[in-house]
Amino acid sequence: RKGLHAATSLKPRLHRGLGILAGMAGLVFSLWLEARLLILPDLFPPLLLPTALTTLFCGLILVVGRTTALSQVIGYLVAENGIFLLGVPLMTAGAVWFELALLLDVFVAVFVMGIAIHHIGETFESIDVGRFRSLRD
């Protein structure tokens, strides 16, 4: 059984300074990648591709570098926003790309819910709601 002290003593897997440096490295890599990629002209507005990739990288850093479920869920949401930013310009390129981006958003949502349910299952002995009937005022 986990006590209050065990919950408050959780340390992130990745040191905060190292996480910031990794995020900055993701930004530099995104800017470098935008200059090197041969994409359709006028598909992405200026700096949208690096913004989306940096958001995606920062979300993945949050997921990998944190130990609490709430921090990991926030990381998945940040990564999902990066995926959404990548998918918005593709809506004009064709419906198939938009549908694939939407499918990826649904996959991320199901993945986040799976992690949340897993952490709830680890925290509580039973998640059987039938036991609530035996509660009295």
Side-chain angles (χ1 to χ4, degrees):
R1 185 176 150 151
K2 297 177 183 177
L4 180 63
H5 179 69
T8 57
S9 66
L10 289 175
K11 298 288 182 191
R13 287 186 211 137
L14 191 64
H15 189 267
R16 180 172 288 157
L18 191 57
I20 291 172
L21 285 176
M24 291 172 57
L27 172 65
V28 170
F29 176 72
S30 298
L31 290 169
W32 175 82
L33 190 63
E34 182 191 33
R36 300 294 183 269
L37 281 179
L38 298 174
I39 56 176
L40 297 173
D42 300 328
L43 179 63
F44 285 96
L47 295 179
L48 180 68
L49 183 65
T51 303
L53 289 176
T54 302
T55 305
L56 181 64
F57 292 150
C58 287
L60 293 177
I61 290 167
L62 278 172
V63 169
V64 172
R66 301 292 174 214
T67 56
T68 61
L70 181 62
S71 299
Q72 289 178 345
V73 167
I74 290 172
Y76 282 116
L77 292 174
V78 170
E80 191 269 331
N81 284 332
I83 292 168
F84 177 77
L85 283 175
L86 282 173
V88 168
L90 298 176
M91 283 190 304
T92 60
V96 173
W97 290 108
F98 177 69
E99 289 173 6
L100 285 175
L102 187 63
L103 182 64
L104 189 57
D105 287 344
V106 170
F107 171 74
V108 168
V110 168
F111 197 60
V112 166
M113 287 304 298
I115 287 177
I117 290 171
H118 174 71
H119 282 288
I120 288 171
E122 283 183 351
T123 303
F124 299 105
E125 293 176 12
S126 173
I127 56 173
D128 183 19
V129 293
R131 295 174 54 191
F132 286 141
R133 292 188 187 121
S134 65
L135 294 177
R136 303 279 183 225
D137 285 335

